[in-house]
Amino acid sequence: MLESSHPDTLSLPDLPKTLVLIGMMGAGKSTIGRHVAERLGVPFKDADREIEDAAGRTIEEIFAEFGEAHFRSGERRVIARLLEEEPFVLATGGGAYIDPETRALIAERAISVWLRADLDLLWARVSRRANRPLLKTENPRETLAGLIDARYPVYAEADIIVDSEDIAKDAMAVHVIAAVTDYLKANPQP
Ligand code: S3P
């Protein structure tokens, strides 16, 4: 069993693979991921931060200087490297799982968890900050809606789907761990 400082931690067999959180910007992947990792007693990493560290630039700068295709290939490389490490919790940027190569790698080496959220919840969160290059458009809410339409059928390939609710992030982490526990019971890992 994994150790945790939380007395109410759900029981989870040793994490056999890295948990990769996928979903739209604003779904809470990083914040919830951090809570999940803390409860499981494993490290947490954020792919966007790792990409920024590797590039020595912010995501905004990478998009502005080199464009989205360059960002995606860096993202692919960084996630491939991270998935060679011992199991941990990884939050990915919203477009990572949409890239076919990254998606195949995640399917092979990790357990994917889609934090599914509706447009209103996502918009309420992302409209607070202007740091997302893909939303620097004339009508960012419409852009977000378009991304939802395009991406949700792909996110639906995830191993596990958890609905992101407007509740405390730690309570969401409990939902995620419960869903992972059920998944591992139904899908024992070699
Ligand atoms: C992106 C989401 C961002 C970041 C980049 C592209 C996307 O990450 O990777 O701006 O394609 O949805 P978050 O989902 O953490 O905001």
Side-chain angles (χ1 to χ4, degrees), residues 17-94:
K17 285 177 173 175
T18 288
L19 283 188
V20 175
L21 299 185
I22 67 162
M24 286 291 289
M25 332 173 209
K29 296 167 299 222
S30 303
T31 324
I32 294 165
R34 227 174 244 115
H35 283 285
V36 170
E38 195 200 327
R39 282 180 169 271
L40 297 182
V42 296
F44 168 79
K45 291 183 186 182
D46 183 310
D48 282 347
R49 297 295 82 75
E50 299 281 330
I51 296 162
E52 290 183 331
D53 288 351
R57 288 174 167 80
T58 65
I59 304 283
E60 277 181 286
E61 287 165 351
I62 300 170
F63 268 78
E65 286 179 42
F66 307 109
E68 182 173 354
H70 181 93
F71 170 75
R72 293 296 168 208
S73 65
E75 180 176 58
R76 205 178 298 129
R77 276 197 306 278
V78 165
I79 292 177
R81 167 173 58 75
L82 291 170
L83 292 183
E84 280 169 10
E85 296 180 5
E86 290 298 303
F88 67 101
V89 177
L90 175 65
T92 58

Side-chain angles (χ1 to χ4, degrees), residues 7-181:
D8 58 341
T9 287
L10 298 158
S11 81
L12 183 83
D14 286 328
L15 191 63
K17 285 177 173 175
T18 288
L19 283 188
V20 175
L21 299 185
I22 67 162
M24 286 291 289
M25 332 173 209
K29 296 167 299 222
S30 303
T31 324
I32 294 165
R34 227 174 244 115
H35 283 285
V36 170
E38 195 200 327
R39 282 180 169 271
L40 297 182
V42 296
F44 168 79
K45 291 183 186 182
D46 183 310
D48 282 347
R49 297 295 82 75
E50 299 281 330
I51 296 162
E52 290 183 331
D53 288 351
R57 288 174 167 80
T58 65
I59 304 283
E60 277 181 286
E61 287 165 351
I62 300 170
F63 268 78
E65 286 179 42
F66 307 109
E68 182 173 354
H70 181 93
F71 170 75
R72 293 296 168 208
S73 65
E75 180 176 58
R76 205 178 298 129
R77 276 197 306 278
V78 165
I79 292 177
R81 167 173 58 75
L82 291 170
L83 292 183
E84 280 169 10
E85 296 180 5
E86 290 298 303
F88 67 101
V89 177
L90 175 65
T92 58
Y97 193 74
I98 305 304
D99 179 272
E101 248 181 78
T102 303
R103 186 162 70 254
L105 202 69
I106 291 172
E108 183 195 318
R109 297 197 199 155
I111 297 168
S112 50
V113 182
W114 174 21
L115 291 181
R116 182 170 59 186
D118 64 25
L119 175 62
D120 287 340
L121 180 61
L122 296 173
W123 177 246
R125 293 191 184 143
V126 299
S127 55
R128 286 187 215 132
R129 292 177 69 190
N131 62 335
R132 264 106 173 181
L134 292 183
L135 297 183
K136 291 187 197 296
T137 61
E138 262 183 30
N139 187 340
R141 190 184 155 101
E142 208 173 273
T143 305
L144 191 65
L147 285 171
I148 287 177
D149 286 346
R151 290 177 171 181
Y152 277 23
V154 182
Y155 290 151
E157 293 177 29
D159 295 314
I160 299 168
I161 300 175
V162 177
D163 280 310
S164 185
E165 298 164 50
D166 206 7
I167 56 173
K169 295 292 190 284
D170 198 44
M172 273 304 306
V174 171
H175 286 193
V176 169
I177 293 173
V180 174
T181 307

